Amino acid sequence: MSRLTRRTFLGAASSVAALAAMGRPAFAQGAQIRHFWWGNPDRDKRTFAVIDMFNGTHPDITVSGETLGFDDYFTKLTTQIAGGNMPDVIQQGYGVLFEYIANGAVVPLDEYIGKSLDISKIDQSAIDAGTVDGKFYALSIGANSHMAIYNTRLFEEAGIVPGETFDPYGYTYDELAEFAAVIKQATGVAGTDDNTADYQNFSDFVGQKGALLFNEDGSYGATQEIVEEYWSTWEKIRNAGGTPPAQETAGLAGVAELSQQGIVTGKSAMTYLWSNQLVGVQGLVEDTLGAAMYPNTPDMIPGSIVQPSQFICLTRDSVDPVAATTYMSAFVNDLDMTEVLGLERGIPSQSDVRDALEAKLTPAEAVSVAFFDGIQGKTAALEPPPPSGANEIEQTFERIAVGVLLGERSIPEVASDFLNQARAILARA
Amino acid sequence: MLKFFRRNLAGYAFLSPWLIGFFLLAIGPILASLYLSFTKYNVVRPPQWIGIDNYVYMVEYDQRFWKALQVTFNFVVVSVPLKLIFALGVAMALDKGIRAIGWYRALFYLPSILGGSIAVAILWRQLFNYDGVINSVLGLFGIAGPYWLADPNYSLWTLIVLAMWQFGSPMLIFLAGLRAIPQELYEAAEIDAASPVKKFFAITVPLLAPVIFFNLVLQMIEAFKSFSGAFIISGGSGAPLDSLLFFTVYLYNEAFSFLRMGYASALAWVLLLIIALFTAIAFWTSKYWVHYENERG
């Protein structure tokens, strides 16, 4: 009710404004746009600075920013959907985006392309990733991949030299077990975080075993053998002494905050995250960080993917889609604004922006760019969008894998429990 | 009838802010949630009527529902008596005329005000971390403390201790109750040379029974609804291994993580029925152990 009233009011207000200002761009006088994203302190600072720049150059549009940590972001968005007061522009990830599109919370952008929204310089692959059933919904902020982030000082102290004793783009789980134990002995810090309950690593592993996470028919792709082998692989690394104690890892299962990662708390020398998070993590630690791919099996089948890190989308509840898309367009195209944003949300999908940034990279950003060059040809093809329930399966994995860490049940038992629950979730979704 | 209303108009006018709030903000949502509990509703699409499917699924297939019930029952059964015993003990200690008793009362009540807050739950997490304060203190005595929060055998105890720490409000009510017991009874017992234990069970407990009953019902309902501590300490998921999967945490997850508002509404109604049932049982058994002074014995 209140939404309708407000809309009607704004509608009336904007037609009056349009009449009063004939010949000016068709914005409502003083259009109010809300932009909502999940972030971290570094990202929030950059984004608010960009919003100030935009407001300074667009006197007829006022953008206000709202931000929350990842864990709370979708909760708040859910209540906003229910209340019919979603912000105009929201941030979305590859995982959940498609549920929002299917349910109509996010609306297509096609009618604004070439008018308020310029996508002429955006990579075709990024446009394809945001397109569903021939309609373009989601504007990619940048490209992303899985990245193992390591502490170069601890590696050096243990005598592990990237490029000689350690190939960041082609090491195996067995090699990881070895050098993680060496680091523990040399420095007292565990060589690697324990990924037993890490779904990102698990999904890569499924690819490395030549399977799909979700089959063509929508059924779950990981088999009993793959799940068992994954957990046994990490058990081997753990037993070799390369990880923090299992119970410590159990306490962190499902925790997404950067400040809690082993490499930040000083509990381990290597942590597994998304490549765009390198910049944020580097801001939290003194030592210089290095980048590597996730470990692989001896067969070296690619398992990591390159995918859009995040999108910005226009919501169903937007009060002024033209003003909102004007802002979205500047967010990905304006060279001054994108310079402030840097690579914090991934490698930009706009070619001019990439060229402009190249000259002014910070050391951490240079590591990111080198990493993207290094993984060329070593990644898997992007899988089709995940089905409904994928998010719940991920959380179920994180929850159940704790049983492996605490050793209360055998690996085969926990694996079949997980697969049964995954199938039940898909059947119910 | 009209006359009645006219005579009471002023009263209703003064009541109206509360009445409007009650009907719009309480009764409305309650009825809406009852309706939603019979639907499949993911917030974005309109609700879809599915009859009693939510309730059938809950009872027949949902293992986590049963797990959540079990965790919540364990919590209620252990934390409520411990908290009441603790509160009564402190109240009896304060009942003896100590100097500056007002200060102590305020001091002991403070955790009840703070206890439900997010900040304290986060503080609790810090205290019970493996390298937190509790284990450091234990370390001074040569005891290697467990992983309180990561070990499903211990995690619930940290929340029981958190609940006990919030003993302030039952304590104050006990204190008022103790003050109402006539001193002559104790003096008479004194003359008969009754032991302190005897005095406690023969005088204090029976005369305090109505207050104990009141506190029991209140704290039981509170414990069934307990949420923020478990939510913060388990990182919102009921981890580790669902050992902190309180009913309300599970409900929250279903509603906001998995967008199953219809199912979450059904869970909320089941919780309401369970609390009503237990309150009814408490009232029913009370006639066997609670006696009021004005009753004929």
Side-chain angles (χ1 to χ4, degrees), chain A residues 243-305:
Chain A
T243 66
Q247 282 179 304
E248 208 162 281
T249 307
L252 290 169
V255 174
E257 287 147 65
L258 294 187
S259 63
Q260 298 297 311
Q261 306 299 320
I263 199 162
V264 180
T265 57
K267 297 241 165 97
S268 68
M270 185 137 103
T271 282
Y272 303 79
L273 290 164
W274 284 99
S275 57
N276 70 299
Q277 291 176 306
L278 174 71
V279 178
V281 177
Q282 182 67 78
L284 298 174
V285 293
E286 303 231 319
D287 294 326
T288 306
L289 300 178
M293 289 187 82
Y294 279 19
N296 211 324
T297 63
D299 300 331
M300 288 293 163
I301 301 172
S304 279
I305 37 162

Side-chain angles (χ1 to χ4, degrees), chain A residues 340-420:
Chain A
V340 173
L341 293 172
L343 300 185
E344 199 279 321
R345 283 183 169 95
I347 308 284
S349 311
Q350 208 261 39
S351 48
D352 286 357
V353 171
R354 268 197 308 263
D355 294 343
L357 282 175
E358 196 104 30
K360 302 164 187 154
L361 295 180
T362 68
E365 289 174 339
V367 173
S368 288
V369 173
F371 172 78
F372 261 83
D373 291 339
I375 64 173
Q376 291 305 317
K378 294 178 178 234
T379 56
L382 190 59
E383 284 187 35
S388 287
N391 177 31
E392 194 176 354
I393 292 177
E394 180 170 343
Q395 295 195 22
T396 304
F397 180 89
E398 289 166 354
R399 173 159 50 86
I400 286 187
V402 172
V404 175
L405 286 167
L406 298 179
E408 295 191 341
R409 289 189 297 165
S410 73
I411 286 177
E413 231 179 300
V414 183
S416 71
D417 189 9
F418 165 63
L419 289 173
N420 285 336

Side-chain angles (χ1 to χ4, degrees), chain A residues 33-53:
Chain A
I33 299 301
R34 289 155 64 211
H35 177 198
F36 185 33
W37 68 92
W38 75 80
N40 55 56
D42 182 44
R43 176 180 303 165
D44 297 346
K45 208 172 68 192
R46 292 166 191 254
T47 313
F48 280 120
V50 156
I51 288 174
D52 285 344
M53 292 169 78

